[in-house]
Amino acid sequence: MDLGHEIYVDGSWELSILVEDLQIVKRIRVSGETHIGGVMLKLVEAIDVKLDWSDHGLWWPERNCWLLKTRQTLDQNGVQADAKLEFHRMHNWLRLQLPDLQEKELRVNFSQTVFSVVMSICKDLGIRHPEELSLKRRIDTADFGLGGGGGGGDGYAYSVGTTKSSRFSSMRRSRSINRNGGNDTMDSRKRLSNNRRSDAFNPLVPKAPSMTAGTFALRKRSGQPGESANLMSPMSINSLAFEGANESYLANSPHVPLQTALTEKGLQRLRSNTERAMLSVTWLDSSKSLMEQGVRPGCEEELLLRFKYFAFYDLNIKYDAIRINQIYEQVKWSLLTEEIDCTDEEMMLLAALQLQAHLQANDPQRATSSNSGAAASAAAAAATVTEEDTAADDEIDAALADLEMSLMSDAHYGIGNLSRQQSEQQHLQQKQPEVREVPELSGYLKFFKPKRFTLKNYKRYFFALRDTTLYLYPDQAAASQMAAFVESFNLKNAEVVPDLNMTTRKFGIRLFILTQSGLMQEVWLRCETKDQYAQWVAAISLASRGKTLASKSLYDSELKETLTRLDMQAPRPQPMLTVDSMPSIDVADFVALRCLKKHKSRALLQGILERHANVRSLNLLESKLEYIRTWQRLPMHGVAYFLVNYTESRSKPMTFSEFRKERRKNHDALFGVAFNRIMRLDVQTGDILNTWRYQELASWTVNWEVMSFRLTLNRPPHEMTLVPSPFFASRLSVCKTLAEMVGGYVFLSLRKPDRSQEINEQMFHRLTGSRDHQA
């Protein structure tokens, strides 16, 4: 019996579904108790076209979500008679720009989360440890939505970086759709034939066997919606046996001039910390699918594949040629576009390493032909060794080199290897003799505490570093008698910023030391010689991480690394290459614009060549890996910036006068999230105001209603709430990215030395505060 509005006595009703491949609408009779798998089974029977429909799923445009849980009913998903669903192909083509600015089209699953899509992409590209990468939109400052306005209904401002999104939206609205239902038309059969023909001639499209409605229903009921054959096991990606698509153009990228990158590849020069904070709004939500974030198949928008987390795990030259090259390219462009600041000498050293990589990639013989006579005689003498001994020595040297580089990259540059570091430290402690008294480092240094409107007036004191505390004495006699010290500083959790210039023999150290009030105090130290500078920087760096000089192996390693960097950064007065011999080198492609404004091009090239003499013996991969390590020595490397409003909890209620003062304060602040800490920075200068290590982070929660991110700490302030600034149109995207940055780095710190471990995506979503898995 018909009750009107196409609703019958049995409670059934007609559901309208658009079949995307055929561009027709089918109406099938369902009830609220019909499960999603049953809906798709009825739809396939109603279409009556022999085609493999296993790679299709139901999409609900009004709710902007996929209906993939085939055992759930329509009532459980809130689908009623007025709903308009679409039957979409889940795998389709996606345009990507790689970190080296190359463009590529890959076939991905638009119904999977971005986290899973990135894993699939990295498997196709041959990049190990895909958990370090993610997808982002292109930033376009001209279309950037400023102010407190809204964005889309899902909280995303699609104007961010989507320079082609307007064409996408017009294309989406201009589709001619037959909403009248009925039989298939001849045009739809032609479109179907064209789709099948294009898939048949494309080598990257997985060829699945044809499937009837019955076998389709069985697969849908099993909860496996026809995944493509190119989807991979996460375990295979992280294993050393994984080779992937080891293509030469991904391991050795073509040279792209800086001007071309800025005008044609979409890179932007970042001139302020506020512009750096704009990058935080461009990352896609890792817990949502591409279609849920406005990226639809067939759109012309190009997404960017980038390294999001700079805690690189197990960088190995033997297995990570593509990965090292892509990291090198992304780091290089971040320096050239001034996304990260560095000194002029650091920039010239990085440019020298880039030049060596450029020469090795284009003319390896020229890059290595300028060897000294001693090296040539040593090579001739080495030629007399028997082949057996040479082969054995090569194997041993290669194994030792792999182990050394792995340990150096793990111990110095990543929190993603805490388990390995702990096991190595335990092993070293077992081998070392017991230390009854902790050694100390002492000597005369110059000291200055900067204040407003004061000149740099350094005073000479005798310093003694005991445990993690730095003591100042008027002279050595007072220190030896353990007399009253002038001042003391606890260096634990301090920030160490080198103030170095090898040309002018300036060996300075800037320290941002945490005080009892919870704020950072800045002090400057000045050393006399290079060796003294290396000793104090190594010791202070250990003390900032809570280590003492009793860890002799760690101190020796840090000291050796510092001296190596100083030797590389020191210019050689007579370089092997001259300015006149490098006419094809454009200095603008090797240094940031601010360096070009301060120095002449010929002087810059001369400084680069003087430092290139220190690294000319490195091969291609070694040059890139050394470039990455030099970048990792920069104080603010890999920091993600967020412009937020913040509030701190109080242990006691405020008085009315304190409340009035609090209201007058400007709480806009710049926060930075790095691989091992969270920082509060000065908006104008970028100076560090406070630092919290992840070890001091007790918990964090995300309130999606008010878009706030709350941190619970083990020291004052014990609780802190961050709310994205109204400066951004898409505050929800900023809040999610902030949660993903903090939770993602904690997730990466859980990685273990077992190289074949499986990636726990559910754990990642729980730690990053997705709506389905609250942190």
PDB file of all heavy atoms in Angstrom, residues 36-45 51-57 70 87 90 210-226:
ATOM      1  N   ILE A  36      24.659  -1.407   4.165  1.00  0.00           N
ATOM      2  CA  ILE A  36      25.330  -0.733   3.050  1.00  0.00           C
ATOM      3  C   ILE A  36      25.711  -1.741   1.962  1.00  0.00           C
ATOM      4  O   ILE A  36      25.569  -1.468   0.769  1.00  0.00           O
ATOM      5  CB  ILE A  36      26.572   0.024   3.545  1.00  0.00           C
ATOM      6  CG1 ILE A  36      26.181   1.076   4.594  1.00  0.00           C
ATOM      7  CG2 ILE A  36      27.297   0.696   2.386  1.00  0.00           C
ATOM      8  CD1 ILE A  36      25.264   2.148   4.090  1.00  0.00           C
ATOM      9  N   GLY A  37      26.192  -2.917   2.371  1.00  0.00           N
ATOM     10  CA  GLY A  37      26.531  -3.923   1.380  1.00  0.00           C
ATOM     11  C   GLY A  37      25.327  -4.357   0.567  1.00  0.00           C
ATOM     12  O   GLY A  37      25.434  -4.578  -0.646  1.00  0.00           O
ATOM     13  N   GLY A  38      24.166  -4.464   1.223  1.00  0.00           N
ATOM     14  CA  GLY A  38      22.951  -4.817   0.497  1.00  0.00           C
ATOM     15  C   GLY A  38      22.521  -3.739  -0.472  1.00  0.00           C
ATOM     16  O   GLY A  38      21.992  -4.032  -1.561  1.00  0.00           O
ATOM     17  N   VAL A  39      22.726  -2.481  -0.108  1.00  0.00           N
ATOM     18  CA  VAL A  39      22.393  -1.377  -1.019  1.00  0.00           C
ATOM     19  C   VAL A  39      23.238  -1.468  -2.286  1.00  0.00           C
ATOM     20  O   VAL A  39      22.723  -1.340  -3.410  1.00  0.00           O
ATOM     21  CB  VAL A  39      22.606  -0.024  -0.314  1.00  0.00           C
ATOM     22  CG1 VAL A  39      22.452   1.123  -1.307  1.00  0.00           C
ATOM     23  CG2 VAL A  39      21.625   0.140   0.830  1.00  0.00           C
ATOM     24  N   MET A  40      24.545  -1.714  -2.122  1.00  0.00           N
ATOM     25  CA  MET A  40      25.408  -1.806  -3.295  1.00  0.00           C
ATOM     26  C   MET A  40      25.084  -3.039  -4.138  1.00  0.00           C
ATOM     27  O   MET A  40      25.184  -3.004  -5.369  1.00  0.00           O
ATOM     28  CB  MET A  40      26.867  -1.808  -2.848  1.00  0.00           C
ATOM     29  CG  MET A  40      27.321  -0.472  -2.284  1.00  0.00           C
ATOM     30  SD  MET A  40      29.095  -0.355  -1.985  1.00  0.00           S
ATOM     31  CE  MET A  40      29.224  -1.364  -0.511  1.00  0.00           C
ATOM     32  N   LEU A  41      24.691  -4.130  -3.502  1.00  0.00           N
ATOM     33  CA  LEU A  41      24.292  -5.328  -4.246  1.00  0.00           C
ATOM     34  C   LEU A  41      23.065  -5.050  -5.088  1.00  0.00           C
ATOM     35  O   LEU A  41      23.020  -5.390  -6.283  1.00  0.00           O
ATOM     36  CB  LEU A  41      24.033  -6.479  -3.270  1.00  0.00           C
ATOM     37  CG  LEU A  41      23.509  -7.783  -3.893  1.00  0.00           C
ATOM     38  CD1 LEU A  41      24.481  -8.321  -4.927  1.00  0.00           C
ATOM     39  CD2 LEU A  41      23.249  -8.824  -2.807  1.00  0.00           C
ATOM     40  N   LYS A  42      22.043  -4.406  -4.504  1.00  0.00           N
ATOM     41  CA  LYS A  42      20.848  -4.062  -5.277  1.00  0.00           C
ATOM     42  C   LYS A  42      21.173  -3.092  -6.401  1.00  0.00           C
ATOM     43  O   LYS A  42      20.596  -3.175  -7.497  1.00  0.00           O
ATOM     44  CB  LYS A  42      19.798  -3.457  -4.351  1.00  0.00           C
ATOM     45  CG  LYS A  42      19.182  -4.449  -3.363  1.00  0.00           C
ATOM     46  CD  LYS A  42      18.085  -3.778  -2.535  1.00  0.00           C
ATOM     47  CE  LYS A  42      17.440  -4.780  -1.589  1.00  0.00           C
ATOM     48  NZ  LYS A  42      16.339  -4.162  -0.799  1.00  0.00           N
ATOM     49  N   LEU A  43      22.081  -2.169  -6.141  1.00  0.00           N
ATOM     50  CA  LEU A  43      22.436  -1.202  -7.170  1.00  0.00           C
ATOM     51  C   LEU A  43      23.130  -1.867  -8.347  1.00  0.00           C
ATOM     52  O   LEU A  43      22.835  -1.562  -9.508  1.00  0.00           O
ATOM     53  CB  LEU A  43      23.342  -0.123  -6.564  1.00  0.00           C
ATOM     54  CG  LEU A  43      23.851   0.950  -7.517  1.00  0.00           C
ATOM     55  CD1 LEU A  43      22.693   1.752  -8.099  1.00  0.00           C
ATOM     56  CD2 LEU A  43      24.841   1.882  -6.810  1.00  0.00           C
ATOM     57  N   VAL A  44      24.074  -2.778  -8.071  1.00  0.00           N
ATOM     58  CA  VAL A  44      24.768  -3.482  -9.148  1.00  0.00           C
ATOM     59  C   VAL A  44      23.780  -4.309  -9.973  1.00  0.00           C
ATOM     60  O   VAL A  44      23.867  -4.363 -11.209  1.00  0.00           O
ATOM     61  CB  VAL A  44      25.883  -4.365  -8.569  1.00  0.00           C
ATOM     62  CG1 VAL A  44      26.474  -5.272  -9.635  1.00  0.00           C
ATOM     63  CG2 VAL A  44      26.977  -3.494  -7.955  1.00  0.00           C
ATOM     64  N   GLU A  45      22.804  -4.951  -9.311  1.00  0.00           N
ATOM     65  CA  GLU A  45      21.792  -5.717 -10.043  1.00  0.00           C
ATOM     66  C   GLU A  45      20.910  -4.805 -10.882  1.00  0.00           C
ATOM     67  O   GLU A  45      20.506  -5.155 -11.999  1.00  0.00           O
ATOM     68  CB  GLU A  45      20.947  -6.509  -9.052  1.00  0.00           C
ATOM     69  CG  GLU A  45      21.720  -7.618  -8.339  1.00  0.00           C
ATOM     70  CD  GLU A  45      20.899  -8.291  -7.253  1.00  0.00           C
ATOM     71  OE1 GLU A  45      19.858  -7.708  -6.873  1.00  0.00           O
ATOM     72  OE2 GLU A  45      21.290  -9.382  -6.790  1.00  0.00           O
ATOM     73  N   LEU A  51      30.584  -5.429 -15.378  1.00  0.00           N
ATOM     74  CA  LEU A  51      31.769  -4.646 -15.061  1.00  0.00           C
ATOM     75  C   LEU A  51      32.210  -5.008 -13.655  1.00  0.00           C
ATOM     76  O   LEU A  51      31.390  -5.397 -12.825  1.00  0.00           O
ATOM     77  CB  LEU A  51      31.466  -3.135 -15.148  1.00  0.00           C
ATOM     78  CG  LEU A  51      32.622  -2.172 -14.899  1.00  0.00           C
ATOM     79  CD1 LEU A  51      33.670  -2.299 -16.006  1.00  0.00           C
ATOM     80  CD2 LEU A  51      32.122  -0.727 -14.848  1.00  0.00           C
ATOM     81  N   ASP A  52      33.494  -4.898 -13.401  1.00  0.00           N
ATOM     82  CA  ASP A  52      34.014  -5.137 -12.064  1.00  0.00           C
ATOM     83  C   ASP A  52      33.692  -3.913 -11.199  1.00  0.00           C
ATOM     84  O   ASP A  52      34.322  -2.860 -11.314  1.00  0.00           O
ATOM     85  CB  ASP A  52      35.522  -5.366 -12.124  1.00  0.00           C
ATOM     86  CG  ASP A  52      36.114  -5.588 -10.737  1.00  0.00           C
ATOM     87  OD1 ASP A  52      35.332  -5.811  -9.789  1.00  0.00           O
ATOM     88  OD2 ASP A  52      37.349  -5.520 -10.615  1.00  0.00           O
ATOM     89  N   TRP A  53      32.686  -4.056 -10.339  1.00  0.00           N
ATOM     90  CA  TRP A  53      32.258  -2.954  -9.481  1.00  0.00           C
ATOM     91  C   TRP A  53      32.894  -3.029  -8.084  1.00  0.00           C
ATOM     92  O   TRP A  53      32.496  -2.290  -7.185  1.00  0.00           O
ATOM     93  CB  TRP A  53      30.743  -2.962  -9.323  1.00  0.00           C
ATOM     94  CG  TRP A  53      30.002  -2.772 -10.612  1.00  0.00           C
ATOM     95  CD1 TRP A  53      29.413  -3.734 -11.372  1.00  0.00           C
ATOM     96  CD2 TRP A  53      29.802  -1.526 -11.294  1.00  0.00           C
ATOM     97  NE1 TRP A  53      28.843  -3.185 -12.489  1.00  0.00           N
ATOM     98  CE2 TRP A  53      29.069  -1.816 -12.460  1.00  0.00           C
ATOM     99  CE3 TRP A  53      30.170  -0.205 -11.032  1.00  0.00           C
ATOM    100  CZ2 TRP A  53      28.690  -0.842 -13.369  1.00  0.00           C
ATOM    101  CZ3 TRP A  53      29.786   0.768 -11.935  1.00  0.00           C
ATOM    102  CH2 TRP A  53      29.063   0.459 -13.085  1.00  0.00           C
ATOM    103  N   SER A  54      33.880  -3.914  -7.906  1.00  0.00           N
ATOM    104  CA  SER A  54      34.451  -4.091  -6.568  1.00  0.00           C
ATOM    105  C   SER A  54      35.242  -2.881  -6.095  1.00  0.00           C
ATOM    106  O   SER A  54      35.483  -2.724  -4.895  1.00  0.00           O
ATOM    107  CB  SER A  54      35.351  -5.331  -6.538  1.00  0.00           C
ATOM    108  OG  SER A  54      36.441  -5.156  -7.426  1.00  0.00           O
ATOM    109  N   ASP A  55      35.681  -2.038  -7.028  1.00  0.00           N
ATOM    110  CA  ASP A  55      36.460  -0.851  -6.662  1.00  0.00           C
ATOM    111  C   ASP A  55      35.572   0.384  -6.522  1.00  0.00           C
ATOM    112  O   ASP A  55      36.032   1.509  -6.660  1.00  0.00           O
ATOM    113  CB  ASP A  55      37.536  -0.588  -7.712  1.00  0.00           C
ATOM    114  CG  ASP A  55      38.547   0.447  -7.260  1.00  0.00           C
ATOM    115  OD1 ASP A  55      38.825   0.503  -6.045  1.00  0.00           O
ATOM    116  OD2 ASP A  55      39.026   1.224  -8.099  1.00  0.00           O
ATOM    117  N   HIS A  56      34.307   0.180  -6.238  1.00  0.00           N
ATOM    118  CA  HIS A  56      33.372   1.294  -6.091  1.00  0.00           C
ATOM    119  C   HIS A  56      32.823   1.332  -4.672  1.00  0.00           C
ATOM    120  O   HIS A  56      32.767   0.316  -3.977  1.00  0.00           O
ATOM    121  CB  HIS A  56      32.217   1.180  -7.094  1.00  0.00           C
ATOM    122  CG  HIS A  56      32.620   1.464  -8.503  1.00  0.00           C
ATOM    123  ND1 HIS A  56      33.492   0.652  -9.197  1.00  0.00           N
ATOM    124  CD2 HIS A  56      32.265   2.469  -9.358  1.00  0.00           C
ATOM    125  CE1 HIS A  56      33.657   1.137 -10.420  1.00  0.00           C
ATOM    126  NE2 HIS A  56      32.924   2.237 -10.543  1.00  0.00           N
ATOM    127  N   GLY A  57      32.430   2.501  -4.254  1.00  0.00           N
ATOM    128  CA  GLY A  57      31.844   2.691  -2.936  1.00  0.00           C
ATOM    129  C   GLY A  57      30.823   3.815  -2.963  1.00  0.00           C
ATOM    130  O   GLY A  57      30.757   4.608  -3.914  1.00  0.00           O
ATOM    131  N   THR A  70      30.269  -1.801   5.397  1.00  0.00           N
ATOM    132  CA  THR A  70      29.227  -2.497   4.655  1.00  0.00           C
ATOM    133  C   THR A  70      28.226  -3.216   5.555  1.00  0.00           C
ATOM    134  O   THR A  70      27.123  -3.526   5.110  1.00  0.00           O
ATOM    135  CB  THR A  70      29.872  -3.518   3.700  1.00  0.00           C
ATOM    136  OG1 THR A  70      30.704  -4.407   4.463  1.00  0.00           O
ATOM    137  CG2 THR A  70      30.735  -2.799   2.679  1.00  0.00           C
ATOM    138  N   PHE A  87      27.720   6.659  -6.447  1.00  0.00           N
ATOM    139  CA  PHE A  87      28.462   5.398  -6.516  1.00  0.00           C
ATOM    140  C   PHE A  87      29.756   5.685  -7.271  1.00  0.00           C
ATOM    141  O   PHE A  87      29.760   5.810  -8.492  1.00  0.00           O
ATOM    142  CB  PHE A  87      27.630   4.339  -7.226  1.00  0.00           C
ATOM    143  CG  PHE A  87      28.114   2.927  -7.016  1.00  0.00           C
ATOM    144  CD1 PHE A  87      28.411   2.458  -5.740  1.00  0.00           C
ATOM    145  CD2 PHE A  87      28.258   2.057  -8.087  1.00  0.00           C
ATOM    146  CE1 PHE A  87      28.844   1.153  -5.548  1.00  0.00           C
ATOM    147  CE2 PHE A  87      28.678   0.754  -7.900  1.00  0.00           C
ATOM    148  CZ  PHE A  87      28.983   0.314  -6.624  1.00  0.00           C
ATOM    149  N   MET A  90      36.736   4.138  -6.353  1.00  0.00           N
ATOM    150  CA  MET A  90      37.578   4.587  -5.246  1.00  0.00           C
ATOM    151  C   MET A  90      39.022   4.854  -5.680  1.00  0.00           C
ATOM    152  O   MET A  90      39.652   5.779  -5.169  1.00  0.00           O
ATOM    153  CB  MET A  90      37.544   3.551  -4.111  1.00  0.00           C
ATOM    154  CG  MET A  90      36.182   3.448  -3.432  1.00  0.00           C
ATOM    155  SD  MET A  90      36.155   2.319  -2.020  1.00  0.00           S
ATOM    156  CE  MET A  90      36.349   0.758  -2.842  1.00  0.00           C
ATOM    157  N   SER A 210      36.825  -9.790 -13.991  1.00  0.00           N
ATOM    158  CA  SER A 210      35.423  -9.362 -13.980  1.00  0.00           C
ATOM    159  C   SER A 210      34.686 -10.069 -12.860  1.00  0.00           C
ATOM    160  O   SER A 210      34.967 -11.207 -12.522  1.00  0.00           O
ATOM    161  CB  SER A 210      34.775  -9.679 -15.334  1.00  0.00           C
ATOM    162  OG  SER A 210      34.846 -11.074 -15.580  1.00  0.00           O
ATOM    163  N   MET A 211      33.721  -9.376 -12.285  1.00  0.00           N
ATOM    164  CA  MET A 211      33.067  -9.867 -11.086  1.00  0.00           C
ATOM    165  C   MET A 211      31.565  -9.733 -11.233  1.00  0.00           C
ATOM    166  O   MET A 211      31.064  -8.690 -11.650  1.00  0.00           O
ATOM    167  CB  MET A 211      33.550  -9.088  -9.863  1.00  0.00           C
ATOM    168  CG  MET A 211      33.007  -9.587  -8.547  1.00  0.00           C
ATOM    169  SD  MET A 211      33.771  -8.731  -7.186  1.00  0.00           S
ATOM    170  CE  MET A 211      35.455  -9.260  -7.369  1.00  0.00           C
ATOM    171  N   THR A 212      30.852 -10.795 -10.907  1.00  0.00           N
ATOM    172  CA  THR A 212      29.405 -10.749 -10.948  1.00  0.00           C
ATOM    173  C   THR A 212      28.868 -10.111  -9.686  1.00  0.00           C
ATOM    174  O   THR A 212      29.604  -9.835  -8.744  1.00  0.00           O
ATOM    175  CB  THR A 212      28.840 -12.180 -11.088  1.00  0.00           C
ATOM    176  OG1 THR A 212      29.241 -12.922  -9.931  1.00  0.00           O
ATOM    177  CG2 THR A 212      29.375 -12.859 -12.341  1.00  0.00           C
ATOM    178  N   ALA A 213      27.560  -9.900  -9.651  1.00  0.00           N
ATOM    179  CA  ALA A 213      26.955  -9.269  -8.472  1.00  0.00           C
ATOM    180  C   ALA A 213      27.094 -10.149  -7.241  1.00  0.00           C
ATOM    181  O   ALA A 213      27.272  -9.667  -6.128  1.00  0.00           O
ATOM    182  CB  ALA A 213      25.478  -8.962  -8.748  1.00  0.00           C
ATOM    183  N   GLY A 214      27.067 -11.476  -7.436  1.00  0.00           N
ATOM    184  CA  GLY A 214      27.166 -12.362  -6.285  1.00  0.00           C
ATOM    185  C   GLY A 214      28.524 -12.319  -5.623  1.00  0.00           C
ATOM    186  O   GLY A 214      28.652 -12.158  -4.418  1.00  0.00           O
ATOM    187  N   THR A 215      29.592 -12.442  -6.438  1.00  0.00           N
ATOM    188  CA  THR A 215      30.939 -12.367  -5.857  1.00  0.00           C
ATOM    189  C   THR A 215      31.238 -10.973  -5.337  1.00  0.00           C
ATOM    190  O   THR A 215      31.974 -10.806  -4.380  1.00  0.00           O
ATOM    191  CB  THR A 215      31.977 -12.765  -6.918  1.00  0.00           C
ATOM    192  OG1 THR A 215      31.803 -11.924  -8.073  1.00  0.00           O
ATOM    193  CG2 THR A 215      31.822 -14.218  -7.315  1.00  0.00           C
ATOM    194  N   PHE A 216      30.672  -9.946  -5.981  1.00  0.00           N
ATOM    195  CA  PHE A 216      30.834  -8.574  -5.475  1.00  0.00           C
ATOM    196  C   PHE A 216      30.241  -8.452  -4.079  1.00  0.00           C
ATOM    197  O   PHE A 216      30.839  -7.874  -3.177  1.00  0.00           O
ATOM    198  CB  PHE A 216      30.135  -7.598  -6.427  1.00  0.00           C
ATOM    199  CG  PHE A 216      29.951  -6.228  -5.865  1.00  0.00           C
ATOM    200  CD1 PHE A 216      30.990  -5.321  -5.900  1.00  0.00           C
ATOM    201  CD2 PHE A 216      28.750  -5.845  -5.295  1.00  0.00           C
ATOM    202  CE1 PHE A 216      30.834  -4.052  -5.384  1.00  0.00           C
ATOM    203  CE2 PHE A 216      28.597  -4.588  -4.775  1.00  0.00           C
ATOM    204  CZ  PHE A 216      29.632  -3.691  -4.831  1.00  0.00           C
ATOM    205  N   ALA A 217      29.054  -9.028  -3.870  1.00  0.00           N
ATOM    206  CA  ALA A 217      28.421  -8.944  -2.553  1.00  0.00           C
ATOM    207  C   ALA A 217      29.228  -9.683  -1.510  1.00  0.00           C
ATOM    208  O   ALA A 217      29.360  -9.228  -0.380  1.00  0.00           O
ATOM    209  CB  ALA A 217      26.997  -9.519  -2.631  1.00  0.00           C
ATOM    210  N   LEU A 218      29.819 -10.837  -1.885  1.00  0.00           N
ATOM    211  CA  LEU A 218      30.627 -11.576  -0.920  1.00  0.00           C
ATOM    212  C   LEU A 218      31.832 -10.754  -0.490  1.00  0.00           C
ATOM    213  O   LEU A 218      32.182 -10.710   0.681  1.00  0.00           O
ATOM    214  CB  LEU A 218      31.076 -12.911  -1.542  1.00  0.00           C
ATOM    215  CG  LEU A 218      29.988 -13.973  -1.713  1.00  0.00           C
ATOM    216  CD1 LEU A 218      30.561 -15.187  -2.435  1.00  0.00           C
ATOM    217  CD2 LEU A 218      29.428 -14.387  -0.360  1.00  0.00           C
ATOM    218  N   ARG A 219      32.481 -10.091  -1.445  1.00  0.00           N
ATOM    219  CA  ARG A 219      33.657  -9.287  -1.081  1.00  0.00           C
ATOM    220  C   ARG A 219      33.233  -8.104  -0.239  1.00  0.00           C
ATOM    221  O   ARG A 219      33.914  -7.722   0.706  1.00  0.00           O
ATOM    222  CB  ARG A 219      34.373  -8.813  -2.344  1.00  0.00           C
ATOM    223  CG  ARG A 219      35.574  -7.939  -2.037  1.00  0.00           C
ATOM    224  CD  ARG A 219      36.376  -7.601  -3.257  1.00  0.00           C
ATOM    225  NE  ARG A 219      37.028  -8.773  -3.819  1.00  0.00           N
ATOM    226  CZ  ARG A 219      37.912  -8.720  -4.809  1.00  0.00           C
ATOM    227  NH1 ARG A 219      38.246  -7.561  -5.317  1.00  0.00           N
ATOM    228  NH2 ARG A 219      38.452  -9.817  -5.275  1.00  0.00           N
ATOM    229  N   LYS A 220      32.104  -7.469  -0.560  1.00  0.00           N
ATOM    230  CA  LYS A 220      31.661  -6.327   0.217  1.00  0.00           C
ATOM    231  C   LYS A 220      31.273  -6.739   1.625  1.00  0.00           C
ATOM    232  O   LYS A 220      31.560  -6.031   2.584  1.00  0.00           O
ATOM    233  CB  LYS A 220      30.456  -5.658  -0.468  1.00  0.00           C
ATOM    234  CG  LYS A 220      30.833  -4.904  -1.735  1.00  0.00           C
ATOM    235  CD  LYS A 220      31.737  -3.740  -1.418  1.00  0.00           C
ATOM    236  CE  LYS A 220      32.108  -2.956  -2.670  1.00  0.00           C
ATOM    237  NZ  LYS A 220      33.008  -1.848  -2.393  1.00  0.00           N
ATOM    238  N   ARG A 221      30.632  -7.892   1.780  1.00  0.00           N
ATOM    239  CA  ARG A 221      30.246  -8.328   3.116  1.00  0.00           C
ATOM    240  C   ARG A 221      31.460  -8.664   3.967  1.00  0.00           C
ATOM    241  O   ARG A 221      31.415  -8.582   5.187  1.00  0.00           O
ATOM    242  CB  ARG A 221      29.339  -9.555   3.013  1.00  0.00           C
ATOM    243  CG  ARG A 221      27.947  -9.236   2.474  1.00  0.00           C
ATOM    244  CD  ARG A 221      26.990 -10.397   2.701  1.00  0.00           C
ATOM    245  NE  ARG A 221      25.710 -10.146   2.070  1.00  0.00           N
ATOM    246  CZ  ARG A 221      25.329 -10.727   0.940  1.00  0.00           C
ATOM    247  NH1 ARG A 221      26.125 -11.577   0.332  1.00  0.00           N
ATOM    248  NH2 ARG A 221      24.151 -10.439   0.414  1.00  0.00           N
ATOM    249  N   SER A 222      32.555  -9.046   3.322  1.00  0.00           N
ATOM    250  CA  SER A 222      33.754  -9.371   4.096  1.00  0.00           C
ATOM    251  C   SER A 222      34.493  -8.145   4.579  1.00  0.00           C
ATOM    252  O   SER A 222      35.473  -8.259   5.291  1.00  0.00           O
ATOM    253  CB  SER A 222      34.710 -10.228   3.242  1.00  0.00           C
ATOM    254  OG  SER A 222      35.188  -9.474   2.142  1.00  0.00           O
ATOM    255  N   GLY A 223      34.022  -6.949   4.171  1.00  0.00           N
ATOM    256  CA  GLY A 223      34.630  -5.710   4.657  1.00  0.00           C
ATOM    257  C   GLY A 223      35.865  -5.297   3.894  1.00  0.00           C
ATOM    258  O   GLY A 223      36.627  -4.467   4.345  1.00  0.00           O
ATOM    259  N   GLN A 224      36.123  -5.878   2.680  1.00  0.00           N
ATOM    260  CA  GLN A 224      37.281  -5.524   1.878  1.00  0.00           C
ATOM    261  C   GLN A 224      36.792  -4.939   0.566  1.00  0.00           C
ATOM    262  O   GLN A 224      36.516  -5.660  -0.379  1.00  0.00           O
ATOM    263  CB  GLN A 224      38.167  -6.754   1.618  1.00  0.00           C
ATOM    264  CG  GLN A 224      38.668  -7.398   2.912  1.00  0.00           C
ATOM    265  CD  GLN A 224      39.400  -8.670   2.636  1.00  0.00           C
ATOM    266  OE1 GLN A 224      39.496  -9.117   1.509  1.00  0.00           O
ATOM    267  NE2 GLN A 224      39.935  -9.272   3.680  1.00  0.00           N
ATOM    268  N   PRO A 225      36.653  -3.635   0.467  1.00  0.00           N
ATOM    269  CA  PRO A 225      36.049  -3.020  -0.699  1.00  0.00           C
ATOM    270  C   PRO A 225      36.971  -2.964  -1.902  1.00  0.00           C
ATOM    271  O   PRO A 225      37.349  -1.914  -2.380  1.00  0.00           O
ATOM    272  CB  PRO A 225      35.707  -1.618  -0.198  1.00  0.00           C
ATOM    273  CG  PRO A 225      36.693  -1.347   0.870  1.00  0.00           C
ATOM    274  CD  PRO A 225      37.007  -2.660   1.494  1.00  0.00           C
ATOM    275  N   GLY A 226      37.404  -4.128  -2.382  1.00  0.00           N
ATOM    276  CA  GLY A 226      38.116  -4.207  -3.649  1.00  0.00           C
ATOM    277  C   GLY A 226      39.369  -3.373  -3.717  1.00  0.00           C
ATOM    278  O   GLY A 226      39.493  -2.504  -4.555  1.00  0.00           O
TER     279      GLY A 226
END
